[in-house]
Amino acid sequence: MNTKVITKALRRNISTIAKIWEKILCYNLVLLITPCYFIFEMSVVRPTIVTYYNIGTLKHTLHIICSTFCFVNVVGNMIYSIATDTTAKPTMQSDSYCEICKIKRPANAWHCKTCNVCILKRDHHCFFFSRCIGLRNQRYYVLYLGYVLISMIYSLYYNYYYVLTKFGDDNMVLSAFRVINPFLRYLIPEPLGIGDLYMFFLFLNTGLVIWSGGLFYFHMMNVLRGLSAHEFRKDLSVDRGMMKTNFVSVFGVKWYWAIILPFVESPLPEDVDIKCQ
Ligand SMILES: [Zn+2]
Ligand SMILES: [Zn+2]
């Protein structure tokens, strides 16, 4: 067997393993991590806070409604991002041809090497969702990031007061330093306890606020400027018109419902135009 054939087979195997790993991560995120996070917040953190800080029924009910609303939007937008088909269908009314798919595709479609199909108005391939983000699922993706950001800020507020219940004020500061700086652990003879683990999760929570905030800002700015992530990276200064037009072209004509309810249909302007013709 020559080296070229072996390299090709090796590459194919690595790509298959990468795809399987991507799917495992994706389904864990959807089916495991997000619901577990919500269950932990609702069944462990919430009752402790309500009892410890003596929160009244009205405020408590409001918190339950707000956190459930955030959870429904995070999971709903995540599922719709994954389930919405945004692949390009062959068309005769275009000069754009994909050499890999061997089809004539709409002018605004690009090929994704990972998905191995052409994607309508391809933005980028999302590793966590194991799916390309394009014309039909960008709305859900951006809203997913937005609601993750809101949920992380909200849970950070909750978790901070929860961790406070586990510490005296002095210990909390010391624990924070010990988690940030591992060398301090050697100077302090006291072994790490469950409190330090809570402190670690608080830092993780803060990290998720920064991560989701950065991503949401990046993608929302691209939406408003009418750019795809690819165009932004290539520094293509394309004038795509008014912010509102760009916003509606992603979130649809019923954007005011789309931003609060993931399962509401919000047709894209081009779909409305086709129906009207
Ligand atoms: Zn293609
Ligand atoms: Zn892809």
Side-chain angles (χ1 to χ4, degrees):
M1 224 189 284
N2 69 36
T3 341
K4 260 189 182 173
V5 176
I6 296 171
T7 320
K8 222 175 177 182
L10 205 65
R11 266 196 203 147
R12 218 178 12 244
N13 283 339
I14 291 171
S15 141
T16 313
I17 292 167
K19 274 181 192 166
I20 294 170
W21 166 235
E22 200 184 80
K23 291 264 184 274
I24 291 171
L25 199 77
C26 163
Y27 297 132
N28 271 332
L29 188 75
V30 177
L31 302 171
L32 215 66
I33 300 172
T34 312
C36 284
Y37 193 92
F38 181 70
I39 291 166
F40 177 78
E41 292 294 325
M42 294 306 272
S43 59
V44 179
V45 179
R46 182 189 57 84
T48 312
I49 299 241
V50 168
T51 319
Y52 195 86
Y53 296 101
N54 204 13
I55 289 177
T57 317
L58 188 67
K59 210 172 164 188
H60 185 189
T61 313
L62 205 67
H63 276 304
I64 291 178
I65 293 171
C66 287
S67 43
T68 308
F69 171 76
C70 287
F71 176 71
V72 167
N73 270 284
V74 167
V75 173
N77 282 305
M78 181 160 60
I79 290 171
Y80 276 100
S81 287
I82 296 166
T84 306
D85 181 18
T86 194
T87 54
K89 306 284 177 283
T91 175
M92 282 299 139
Q93 298 150 342
S94 170
D95 292 331
S96 177
Y97 182 77
C98 178
E99 295 289 345
I100 306 163
C101 300
K102 311 271 182 232
I103 57 159
K104 272 194 166 186
R105 63 190 175 186
N108 64 351
W110 288 276
H111 189 84
C112 172
K113 281 181 189 164
T114 315
C115 300
N116 202 26
V117 281
C118 281
I119 305 291
L120 284 167
K121 204 180 149 212
R122 181 172 179 269
D123 189 77
H124 70 287
H125 182 88
C126 175
F127 175 77
F128 291 103
F129 286 174
S130 182
R131 170 143 319 254
C132 255
I133 304 302
L135 180 71
R136 306 217 173 270
N137 61 354
Q138 195 177 9
R139 154 196 164 179
Y140 304 112
Y141 177 73
V142 177
L143 286 171
Y144 164 78
L145 290 174
Y147 277 103
V148 167
L149 176 63
I150 295 169
S151 308
M152 286 302 118
I153 294 171
Y154 191 29
S155 65
L156 185 63
Y157 167 77
Y158 248 116
N159 291 339
Y160 171 72
Y161 284 102
Y162 175 70
V163 174
L164 264 187
T165 66
K166 305 280 170 196
F167 287 99
D169 283 350
D170 294 343
N171 289 345
M172 191 169 171
V173 175
L174 189 67
S175 173
F177 275 112
R178 282 213 299 181
V179 171
I180 297 172
N181 185 353
F183 291 109
L184 267 180
R185 283 179 214 155
Y186 298 105
L187 301 174
I188 302 164
E190 195 185 319
L192 287 173
I194 189 79
D196 296 295
L197 186 67
Y198 283 124
M199 184 51 73
F200 171 73
F201 282 121
L202 201 62
F203 274 109
L204 203 64
N205 197 164
T206 313
L208 285 170
V209 169
I210 298 165
W211 174 76
S212 55
L215 274 181
F216 177 67
Y217 176 77
F218 171 73
H219 285 286
M220 198 51 165
M221 288 310 285
N222 280 347
V223 166
L224 294 175
R225 289 153 72 194
L227 293 174
S228 68
H230 168 77
E231 286 166 335
F232 176 85
R233 274 193 289 272
K234 294 273 172 194
D235 201 20
L236 299 173
S237 40
V238 191
D239 183 14
R240 289 274 161 78
M242 302 286 288
M243 273 190 186
K244 176 140 193 233
T245 317
N246 295 334
F247 185 82
V248 173
S249 73
V250 170
F251 295 98
V253 290
K254 289 187 183 169
W255 58 268
Y256 39 87
W257 283 117
I259 56 173
I260 50 168
L261 297 168
F263 40 82
V264 160
E265 253 192 67
S266 178
L268 296 173
E270 50 252 66
D271 295 335
V272 177
D273 291 346
I274 289 168
K275 269 186 194 166
C276 291
Q277 278 168 15

